[in-house]
Amino acid sequence: MEERSKDNLCESSFGVTNDDEATANPVKERCWDQRESLQGEPQCAICGRYGEYICDETDDDICSLECKRTLLGRLANSQKPVSLPPPVRLPITDECFYVRDGDDKSQSRSLTSNQIESLRRKIEIQVKGGDVPPPVLSFSSCNLPQKLLQNLEAAGYDIPTPVQMQAIPAALTGKNLLVSADTGSGKTASFLVPVVSHCTNFRFEHPSNKKKPLAMVLAPTREICVQVEEQAKLLGRGLPFKTALVVGGDAMAGQIYRIRQGVELIIGTPGRLIDLLIKHDVGLDEVAVLVLDEVDCMLQRGFRDQVMQIFQALFQPQVLMYSATIPPEVEKMASSMAKDLVLVSAGKPNRPNESVKQVVIWVESKQKKQKLFDILMSKQHFMPPVVVFVGSRLGADLLSEAITVTTGIRALSIHGEKPMKERRETMRLFLVGEVSVIVATGVLGRGVDLLGVRQVIVFDMPNSIKEYVHQIGRASRLGEEGTAIVFVNEENKNLFQELVGALRLSGAAVPRELANSRYTMGPYSASKGQKKRKHGS
Ligand SMILES: Nc1ncnc2c1ncn2[C@@H]1O[C@H](COP(=O)(O)OP(=O)(O)OP(=O)(O)O)[C@@H](O)[C@H]1O
């Protein structure tokens, strides 16, 4: 059987071994056997009815065998067969070539180490570690499968972003990487491109019916996993590259069924993945690449043990680790986990994204709601779509309701207690513009690409400046300008010192109450010049 269903009923009809879920439900043969899709449900790529199955050859949602045949027929007619280049294993020092503007591949040349350094300086890349290939200025310099290059082009990725210029060639040589780069700088593709490339080459080199997973991406939230899977599908279109999403809230039976059918990449949150691995026998011996997205979060208490459990179940994979914030203790842990680790830093990680204007306002807790309503009702200040970050799940629910009631602006909440289906639907409504404001806890604070969002409001300061950096980073993608309005008051005093340091580094104004607070002291509290003036006055 080639399709699988997305709900429990039909998972069972595809041979899922979970008895509780086993219910006879034959695969729909004809399109008209299928019902219409409800709001938020997947739609058939051909007829728009309920997309109950996923086509195993294209990963598109489809409603029936009939539509699957139509889909494959259309594809066969519309696409010339894509011939993949034979998988090439280049020598380590020469994996990627530097292509100057106007050069074509045949004119590619190796660079001297001075030229490499100067190029890295230009694109604000720092590298620590031996034998790291030079940055590339085009995807086509990386010996990627032709279809992957086409997919990158179709996605509008004309040139790599700086982090991609360095991390992709380095990852392609098999190096273990710890990569830090600004929020919104394209880190996701910088690990997915090498992953797709590896999987594709492996399948061509080792054709086999037993398709065990070849790579794994672990991320801390379901939302990030969903987005990583979406991007992976985009880049892997038309290639022997299938994905399985393993997150809580979706039926496990469907997840294990899909893995058993044969996938190249598993994307998941650590807890659900361990749950699945304990209950089901999944062959992990071919997983050669492990990605830890938001690595600082993944190696923190809470996730660390689970991540290490998964890591130890693998057979010395290449480890690729990424975040916009990597503190020294995470660097240490990463070095002890992966040998000969290469450190890549792009732009100015570990501090607020320069493209986001931070407007910090001192607001007493009791006045925060009114202040928020004032901003949302001000033509001058409200720039929808807006994400409001709060500190608790209940707070998210209550505040979103209060916004809708008081301002008339449609607001919804997202947090970890909401069912996955509702979270997906809320995101959809937000991204298509039907909802202007999302009130979220930290689940949306990291890693989620909120296209179109140029304003975030930090209603409750998070527990650390690291999370603050990630949250305000949602207001800018790829250097586009955004604004973060940030409420602070005495309750956030434990962050004052670091916050003032971060604001001054970014050239943002520091509210008088914050600057004058007795908690705002220490090495970051003022620049040298400012200190001098203070002493001199
Ligand atoms: N080479 C490229 N050309 C054009 N757009 C790109 C390119 N690489 C990535 N993008 C787009 O840039 C946006 C930001 O990328 P991405 O979400 O990977 O950033 P990130 O560094 O992971 O951010 P964060 O740390 O906030 O998770 C996405 O919309 C992505 O599709």
Side-chain angles (χ1 to χ4, degrees):
M1 206 45 97
E2 288 167 314
E3 291 86 351
R4 77 159 178 97
S5 80
K6 293 176 180 170
D7 57 27
N8 295 350
L9 260 185
C10 299
E11 276 147 15
S12 53
S13 72
F14 285 94
V16 174
T17 51
N18 186 337
D19 290 341
D20 295 340
E21 296 180 64
T23 312
N25 188 11
V27 183
K28 310 265 184 315
E29 178 63 37
R30 310 305 297 259
C31 176
W32 57 73
D33 297 335
Q34 188 55 269
R35 63 173 170 81
E36 294 299 321
S37 69
L38 303 174
Q39 208 185 19
E41 281 185 343
Q43 292 181 345
C44 175
I46 298 297
C47 69
R49 287 187 166 78
Y50 173 40
E52 189 175 359
Y53 314 106
I54 295 176
C55 174
D56 56 356
E57 286 172 52
T58 65
D59 261 13
D60 284 302
D61 298 317
I62 40 169
C63 71
S64 61
L65 288 170
E66 182 186 12
C67 278
K68 178 189 173 184
R69 282 191 293 273
T70 312
L71 177 73
L72 294 181
R74 277 190 199 170
L75 272 179
N77 289 336
S78 67
Q79 285 178 356
K80 291 187 198 118
V82 181
S83 59
L84 288 161
V88 185
R89 291 257 178 268
L90 288 168
I92 274 188
T93 49
D94 216 359
E95 282 268 351
C96 291
F97 301 97
Y98 169 42
V99 183
R100 284 188 308 173
D101 284 339
D103 281 355
D104 68 13
K105 252 190 192 166
S106 60
Q107 292 169 305
S108 303
R109 61 189 175 93
S110 300
L111 295 175
T112 66
S113 54
N114 278 348
Q115 287 171 318
I116 295 172
E117 276 322 303
S118 131
L119 174 59
R120 284 189 179 134
R121 263 197 309 278
K122 246 187 211 158
I123 57 174
E124 292 195 310
I125 293 281
Q126 289 180 3
V127 172
K128 262 198 249 169
D131 275 346
V132 185
V136 291
L137 297 186
S138 70
F139 290 112
S140 58
S141 317
C142 289
N143 240 308
L144 300 171
Q146 194 57 32
K147 181 67 185 154
L148 173 53
L149 286 176
Q150 288 170 6
N151 291 344
L152 282 162
E153 200 183 323
Y157 291 17
D158 297 331
I159 49 165
T161 65
V163 64
Q164 293 164 359
M165 289 180 183
Q166 183 60 78
I168 291 174
L172 286 169
T173 62
K175 299 262 173 220
N176 291 322
L177 297 185
L178 179 63
V179 181
S180 51
D182 299 332
T183 50
S185 59
K187 292 186 288 298
T188 315
S190 78
F191 60 76
L192 283 178
V193 167
V195 162
V196 175
S197 173
H198 163 75
C199 295
T200 308
N201 288 341
F202 187 92
R203 287 291 182 241
F204 278 90
E205 281 172 19
H206 307 90
S208 147
N209 288 337
K210 275 204 158 179
K211 290 187 178 165
K212 294 184 193 170
L214 304 175
M216 233 180 220
V217 176
L218 302 183
T221 68
R222 301 171 198 181
E223 275 73 14
I224 301 178
C225 291
V226 168
Q227 283 204 345
V228 170
E229 195 200 28
E230 276 169 10
Q231 217 179 119
K233 282 185 168 178
L234 211 68
L235 297 182
R237 240 194 154 82
L239 288 165
F241 181 79
K242 294 204 180 73
T243 58
L245 184 67
V246 180
V247 296
D250 280 348
M252 192 186 284
Q255 296 169 354
I256 189 68
Y257 176 75
R258 188 159 171 83
I259 293 172
R260 289 204 175 132
Q261 286 294 94
V263 297
E264 280 66 38
L265 174 66
I266 294 179
I267 300 149
T269 47
R272 169 51 80 104
L273 200 52
I274 288 193
D275 206 16
L276 182 137
L277 295 175
I278 288 172
K279 291 182 184 145
H280 303 274
D281 184 24
V282 177
L284 297 178
D285 51 312
E286 286 182 352
V287 173
V289 188
L290 172 68
V291 178
L292 302 182
D293 196 11
E294 308 297 340
V295 62
D296 52 327
C297 190
M298 303 302 280
L299 293 182
Q300 252 172 17
R301 247 189 303 148
F303 275 127
R304 186 170 50 211
D305 292 349
Q306 295 172 333
V307 169
M308 291 316 285
Q309 226 178 314
I310 295 168
F311 175 60
Q312 277 148 14
L314 307 178
F315 294 81
Q316 299 190 326
Q318 175 187 17
V319 190
L320 306 176
M321 299 175 267
Y322 291 76
S323 183
T325 50
I326 300 187
E329 64 273 16
V330 170
E331 196 177 308
K332 251 193 213 157
M333 273 188 265
S335 305
S336 65
M337 187 176 165
K339 74 171 192 307
D340 301 329
L341 188 67
V342 167
L343 273 61
V344 175
S345 158
K348 297 192 178 78
N350 292 316
R351 56 154 106 169
N353 188 315
E354 284 181 342
S355 309
V356 180
K357 181 178 175 202
Q358 299 163 82
V359 182
V360 180
I361 313 175
W362 188 274
V363 196
E364 296 306 337
S365 294
K366 279 189 185 150
Q367 268 105 52
K368 284 207 284 193
K369 258 195 197 168
Q370 190 51 52
K371 189 79 191 170
L372 176 67
F373 299 152
D374 292 346
I375 293 169
L376 297 181
M377 289 192 289
S378 148
K379 273 200 184 123
Q380 193 192 342
H381 294 115
F382 180 44
M383 290 182 277
V386 169
V387 181
V388 180
F389 284 109
V390 296
S392 73
R393 294 165 178 185
L394 180 62
D397 287 338
L398 295 177
L399 190 59
S400 62
E401 277 167 31
I403 291 170
T404 307
V405 170
T406 312
T407 67
I409 296 167
R410 191 166 177 211
L412 290 175
S413 63
I414 280 202
H415 53 70
E417 231 165 50
K418 296 237 170 188
M420 194 57 202
K421 206 169 166 193
E422 193 179 329
R423 281 158 72 170
R424 277 204 174 110
E425 175 62 1
T426 302
M427 286 295 287
R428 192 189 69 78
L429 291 172
F430 185 61
L431 294 174
V432 300
E434 285 184 36
V435 166
S436 308
V437 176
I438 279 196
V439 185
T441 58
V443 294
L444 275 202
R446 272 178 179 258
V448 186
D449 186 21
L450 297 167
L451 278 177
V453 171
R454 291 291 166 268
Q455 186 175 56
V456 304
I457 300 176
V458 181
F459 186 89
D460 294 326
M461 272 297 278
N463 293 329
S464 70
I465 291 298
K466 236 169 23 129
E467 291 314 311
Y468 170 76
V469 167
H470 285 274
Q471 288 188 0
I472 67 167
R474 296 315 99 203
S476 165
R477 304 276 92 190
L478 290 186
E480 281 193 34
E481 294 198 345
T483 308
I485 300 178
V486 185
F487 294 173
V488 289
N489 61 40
E490 198 80 8
E491 286 179 14
N492 315 118
K493 58 180 183 264
N494 57 332
L495 293 179
F496 280 3
Q497 195 174 311
E498 276 184 276
L499 177 62
V500 169
L503 293 173
R504 289 199 165 131
L505 271 175
S506 322
V510 179
R512 190 172 29 84
E513 296 89 336
L514 188 55
N516 294 340
S517 164
R518 64 197 164 98
Y519 301 102
T520 308
M521 302 212 297
Y524 289 118
S525 60
S527 70
K528 275 185 188 159
Q530 283 161 322
K531 267 186 184 164
K532 254 191 199 156
R533 275 199 300 279
K534 209 174 165 193
H535 291 312
S537 64

